[in-house]
Amino acid sequence: MKMEIMGTGSELAKGLLTNDDLTQFMETSDEWIRERTGIEKRHVSLGESVADLATEAALKALEDAKADAKDIELIIVASCSAEDALPCLACQVQSNIGADKAVAFDLNAACAGFLFALNTTFTYLKSGIYKNALVIGAEVLSKIIDWTDRGTGILFGDGAGAVYVEAKMQDEDNYRFLQRACGAKGSVLSCVNRDINNPLYKSEVSKKKVVMDGKEVFRFAVGTIPACIEELLSINNIDKEEIDLFLLHQANKRIITSIAKKLGTGMEKFPTNVEKVGNMSSASIPVLLDECKKSGLLKKGQKVVLSGFGAGLTYGASVIDF
Ligand code: ACO
């Protein structure tokens, strides 16, 4: 079965925060942030919700694919920053775009969320249950960032990316994936969202902001991702040299450079946009995918590795014949 990416789209939040802007309220510098993370600026919400950004990205992906929302059978939104506990983001997007026929649900695997949503979609398409899908990664992380913490406040941005995919008959699969989780290391990157509060029990008031052990996250990403990609390629008898592009979760430039180095592959095969948009968690990969497709870097016939890693800890990689 071939899972064909028919269209891509993305939407960034309207606000723009440069590193110099951050120095107005945080003890940091443009030089420090660029050197440690590669990030120059990031977009933040001026009131747009995760569902707003997801909807715009979805509409652009459908337009790119010349597809009709009425024909969509499955919508998955990957996110860890929805404003609303209910209804889920995917149902909000379904309603906003008029995809009345689709089943819709969310998936949260943090920065690996879009990858896991694409893996889930592939499995549905391969089984024949659905023929097409809209897969979205969307975040407004700025609301869960502690803007007084310079360890996390410099990293993240808000945006959404979407792909519209269709199943095509073909003997060989064009998509293979590996996905893993390591819950025992969950405390390395966490965000308490809601307190337990009922007539019998009240939690102590929690911070409700992202808390991160940056060094551990760095070690985790650089320690697991090269081996994960190599295992995926080896299982599927693919040579590393056959890969045209590696589209990685845009956590930060130093992580991506270290992964490329460990794989022994030049940075020219690792396009990045983290410099301009920061780390957008589950929106990172689909926004980069859209940019690469629109710029002509990503072309039909290429073999492309996607890899995500993040809170959970969750991680994985897939390879697609684009
Ligand atoms: N500006 C200036 N100084 C800073 C800043 C800042 N923004 N942040 C920390 N410092 C200081 C620290 O206080 C410390 O000072 P000290 O030596 O006087 O104590 C010094 O800089 C070094 O701090 P470290 O925390 O050791 O800095 P490190 O080199 O580890 O870089 C960073 C921090 C960039 C977060 C790094 O650990 C990293 O890249 N980690 C990966 C985290 C990540 O990408 N997370 C993304 C979310 S998860 C995901 O997407 C997979």
Side-chain angles (χ1 to χ4, degrees):
M1 196 273 299
K2 178 177 185 184
M3 176 168 73
E4 186 164 356
I5 297 183
M6 309 294 292
T8 61
S10 60
E11 180 77 8
L12 301 174
K14 291 194 175 62
L16 190 63
L17 269 182
T18 64
N19 292 345
D20 283 334
D21 293 332
L22 297 184
T23 64
Q24 305 300 308
F25 55 88
M26 203 185 274
E27 207 178 310
T28 188
S29 68
D30 177 48
E31 193 192 354
W32 195 97
I33 302 171
R34 277 177 199 252
E35 192 185 300
R36 304 289 175 118
T37 71
I39 299 168
E40 297 161 19
K41 53 189 175 184
R42 71 285 292 144
H43 290 255
V44 293
S45 171
L46 293 182
E48 309 95 296
S49 68
V50 185
D52 292 338
L53 296 176
T55 300
E56 287 308 312
L59 288 171
K60 287 180 186 174
L62 291 177
E63 195 187 337
D64 189 36
K66 300 190 176 34
D68 190 340
K70 299 254 174 304
D71 299 326
I72 300 174
E73 299 187 353
L74 169 68
I75 301 173
I76 306 181
V77 178
S79 182
C80 59
S81 60
E83 288 81 19
D84 306 326
L86 304 167
C88 71
L89 288 163
C91 283
Q92 295 182 51
V93 172
Q94 180 203 19
S95 164
N96 291 346
I97 66 175
D100 307 334
K101 226 169 76 179
V103 67
F105 59 87
D106 290 359
L107 184 156
N108 177 0
C111 305
F114 177 79
L115 182 82
F116 284 19
L118 208 55
N119 300 344
T120 306
T121 298
F122 174 77
T123 311
Y124 273 119
L125 298 188
K126 189 172 159 62
S127 72
I129 296 174
Y130 303 116
K131 290 190 296 296
N132 64 48
L134 189 56
V135 190
I136 305 169
E139 306 285 3
V140 175
L141 295 163
S142 56
K143 74 171 99 59
I144 56 169
I145 298 306
D146 177 356
W147 291 98
T148 64
D149 173 16
R150 62 183 182 169
T152 51
I154 57 167
L155 293 173
F156 299 97
D158 300 336
V163 298
Y164 170 72
V165 300
E166 285 183 0
K168 302 275 156 89
M169 289 300 282
Q170 161 176 311
D171 286 344
E172 266 188 40
D173 292 341
N174 77 325
Y175 189 83
R176 310 70 145 179
F177 65 88
L178 270 187
Q179 53 185 13
R180 298 212 167 109
C182 178
K185 289 199 172 164
S187 61
V188 164
L189 181 53
S190 63
C191 177
V192 174
N193 191 16
R194 277 167 277 176
D195 297 314
I196 298 170
N197 187 352
N198 64 45
L200 303 180
Y201 184 88
K202 280 192 192 353
S203 318
E204 283 177 31
V205 177
S206 52
K207 198 174 158 199
K208 297 190 176 128
K209 299 288 176 197
V210 170
V211 178
M212 180 182 75
D213 179 340
K215 279 193 167 46
E216 266 307 310
V217 171
F218 196 99
R219 266 195 284 273
F220 149 68
V222 176
T224 55
I225 295 305
C228 176
I229 292 174
E230 286 191 329
E231 187 181 342
L232 170 77
L233 297 181
S234 157
I235 292 169
N236 292 288
N237 296 314
I238 300 169
D239 262 9
K240 228 182 308 173
E241 288 64 38
E242 291 177 58
I243 303 300
D244 297 291
L245 288 176
F246 294 81
L247 302 186
L248 264 51
H249 164 51
Q250 301 289 293
N252 75 53
K253 189 81 180 268
R254 263 200 319 158
I255 289 182
I256 296 166
T257 313
S258 305
I259 291 172
K261 202 168 159 197
K262 270 200 161 186
L263 284 168
T265 307
M267 271 305 280
E268 66 283 357
K269 287 195 174 179
F270 288 77
T272 59
N273 65 1
V274 68
E275 302 85 349
K276 312 283 178 231
V277 296
N279 177 339
M280 299 190 296
S281 191
S282 57
S284 269
I285 294 177
V287 171
L288 183 66
L289 210 126
D290 183 45
E291 278 183 20
C292 289
K293 186 166 167 278
K294 302 273 156 69
S295 73
L297 192 65
L298 176 59
K299 299 185 220 28
K300 289 265 169 230
Q302 287 181 330
K303 245 185 200 6
V304 179
V305 163
L306 308 177
S307 179
F309 40 93
L313 300 171
T314 53
Y315 63 100
S318 67
V319 58
I320 182 166
D321 302 324
F322 192 71

